[in-house]
Amino acid sequence: MSFDLSVWALADGATPEDVRAAVQRCREGQHGQRQPDPRVVAFYRAITASYPDRPAVAGSPWAVAPLHAAADHVELNLDPACADQVLLDIERLAGEHRLMLFDAQDGSVYPPPAARLPG
């Protein structure tokens, strides 16, 4: 069983409900025709530079490779035994690229650090 995350490039001001709705549309196979969001492209290039997804190799953190990349998101199916550093890198890169992070295990949504409201 994998540990599943995805990162989403939605409009500024997007809410966790917007992310969950986008996830649901993806699960239903609804992918609009649009150009890839530059934030998604930059995230994909950065994460796969550290953790290649092509070709699938032994010791990879990915339970499913290649990663599912769409115009507005990247799905990351992680091997549950992957190093904690992989998760930290995903979170850091999501923040750097202003992407919302969706945790499929419990439906939590984490906005980029700059978008978080003071506690």
Side-chain angles (χ1 to χ4, degrees):
M1 178 169 232
S2 64
F3 177 76
D4 304 329
L5 299 171
S6 54
V7 295
W8 291 83
L10 299 180
D12 289 341
T15 66
E17 292 75 25
D18 295 329
V19 174
R20 290 184 194 101
V23 169
Q24 187 60 39
R25 286 191 299 275
C26 176
R27 289 178 177 163
E28 293 171 356
Q30 298 175 26
H31 293 97
Q33 298 298 320
R34 62 179 259 202
Q35 292 296 313
D37 189 293
R39 297 172 291 171
V40 170
V41 173
F43 173 88
Y44 177 83
R45 287 180 178 160
I47 198 68
T48 58
S50 295
Y51 309 103
D53 68 334
R54 297 168 198 252
V57 296
S60 168
W62 311 125
V64 176
L67 302 178
H68 168 77
D72 61 353
H73 70 281
V74 177
E75 285 184 22
L76 308 144
N77 306 105
L78 294 142
D79 184 302
C82 77
D84 290 343
Q85 186 60 49
V86 178
L87 297 171
L88 294 171
D89 289 341
I90 291 168
E91 183 177 317
R92 176 182 53 79
L93 289 169
E96 287 176 10
H97 297 289
R98 299 179 348 269
L99 299 171
M100 306 282 276
L101 183 63
F102 176 77
D103 181 336
Q105 282 60 232
D106 65 6
S108 296
V109 175
Y110 304 94
R116 291 186 184 150
L117 298 174

